[in-house]
Amino acid sequence: MKSLVFIVAGYLLAHSALALDVGLTPNRDYVDVQHNGKSIRLQRIQDQEHALTGSFAKTSRSCPPFCIQPIQVAPGVTTVGEVEIFEFMENQLRDGSGLLIDARLPSWHQKGTIPGSINIPFTVFEKSDLDPELVSTFKQLGVTERQEEPGLVEKLLAGGDVNETWDFSNAKELILWCNGPWCGQSPRAIRGLLKHGYPPEKINYYRDGMQMWQILGLLTVQ
């Protein structure tokens, strides 16, 4: 019996020693997320003396173009924070029903991105319906081109408002982000998506972006 007590005590001691001093939330130390086919463990920097340096430590940029963005980027679009992203990673991103989109230009994306993100620059969503790059991107988002006009039943189910170019019935839920509250790239991407008819209830906006992600000491990948 004593040996069993020692084994259990040792197990609990070992696991308590593995607990992080700087967790993500009170009940979550890390999130495992797939990035480019590899499993990445997302957690915060454990050095509590760490301070941000580099371009994301800047507090001021010329406006325009780097103007402060509103909390609600468009009607029907939900603004989310980091905790909601963790939950999204563990659910929609894991089961394939959602995508985390880095809407910045490739030059920014290559410097570092949020794990699990794919890079689709905002400029893609500003292209015309017939543009091959937009068509290819929409397929990635679960959106298909209509081969025929929507039927009466579909119009009735949608309350009469049905996009005649795109079929959004299997569209993925999205979180779009860019460099921070002063960055207009993801808001432009969201407005482009809405212009094409993407359902606003399937779009989320991470306004804090890369600047706040790094201020919180969260992992980035290149």
Side-chain angles (χ1 to χ4, degrees):
M1 184 66 181
K2 283 186 177 181
S3 61
L4 178 60
V5 171
F6 284 130
I7 290 172
V8 172
Y11 175 85
L12 293 174
L13 183 62
H15 279 257
S16 64
L18 293 174
L20 301 180
D21 290 332
V22 185
L24 299 180
T25 68
N27 302 313
R28 183 191 284 114
D29 282 344
Y30 58 83
V31 173
D32 289 327
V33 59
Q34 290 292 312
H35 186 84
N36 290 338
K38 297 180 180 179
S39 181
I40 301 290
R41 177 151 292 182
L42 169 63
Q43 59 187 54
R44 296 173 70 186
I45 294 170
Q46 295 302 297
D47 177 7
Q48 296 183 49
E49 300 301 318
H50 179 268
L52 194 63
T53 61
S55 61
F56 289 107
K58 289 179 64 175
T59 61
S60 299
R61 294 172 174 82
S62 60
C63 168
F66 305 111
C67 299
I68 298 172
Q69 300 296 317
I71 289 293
Q72 186 175 30
V73 68
V77 174
T78 301
T79 301
V80 298
E82 295 75 25
V83 173
E84 289 78 20
I85 291 180
F86 304 152
E87 293 169 353
F88 189 86
M89 287 173 168
E90 293 178 327
N91 294 285
Q92 292 94 323
L93 200 59
R94 187 168 293 174
D95 66 22
S97 64
L99 290 171
L100 184 58
I101 297 177
D102 180 345
R104 301 174 300 167
L105 296 173
S107 57
W108 280 104
H109 175 75
Q110 289 162 9
K111 295 175 183 177
T113 191
I114 294 174
S117 297
I118 59 171
N119 184 213
I120 305 178
F122 69 93
T123 51
V124 173
F125 300 116
E126 296 181 331
K127 295 179 180 292
S128 70
D129 283 337
L130 300 177
D131 188 279
E133 189 175 8
L134 179 71
V135 173
S136 176
T137 298
F138 266 13
K139 287 181 180 178
Q140 193 175 3
L141 273 54
V143 181
T144 56
E145 293 180 87
R146 287 193 178 276
Q147 302 302 315
E148 55 186 30
E149 291 186 9
L152 178 61
V153 173
E154 185 178 355
K155 288 182 178 180
L156 289 173
L157 290 173
D161 186 16
V162 178
N163 189 285
E164 296 187 358
T165 304
W166 304 104
D167 182 356
F168 293 101
S169 57
N170 294 312
K172 295 179 183 291
E173 185 176 353
L174 312 176
I175 294 181
L176 293 99
W177 62 274
C178 52
N179 279 324
W182 47 270
C183 178
Q185 294 178 80
S186 53
R188 285 180 62 176
I190 290 169
R191 287 191 287 269
L193 281 164
L194 293 171
K195 187 177 179 180
H196 287 296
Y198 210 96
E201 66 272 15
K202 291 193 174 184
I203 301 175
N204 301 279
Y205 172 42
Y206 175 42
R207 178 178 179 267
D208 288 343
M210 182 57 79
Q211 185 162 35
M212 183 58 69
W213 191 264
Q214 292 199 16
I215 286 173
L216 291 172
L218 289 160
L219 177 73
T220 63
V221 292
Q222 287 183 303

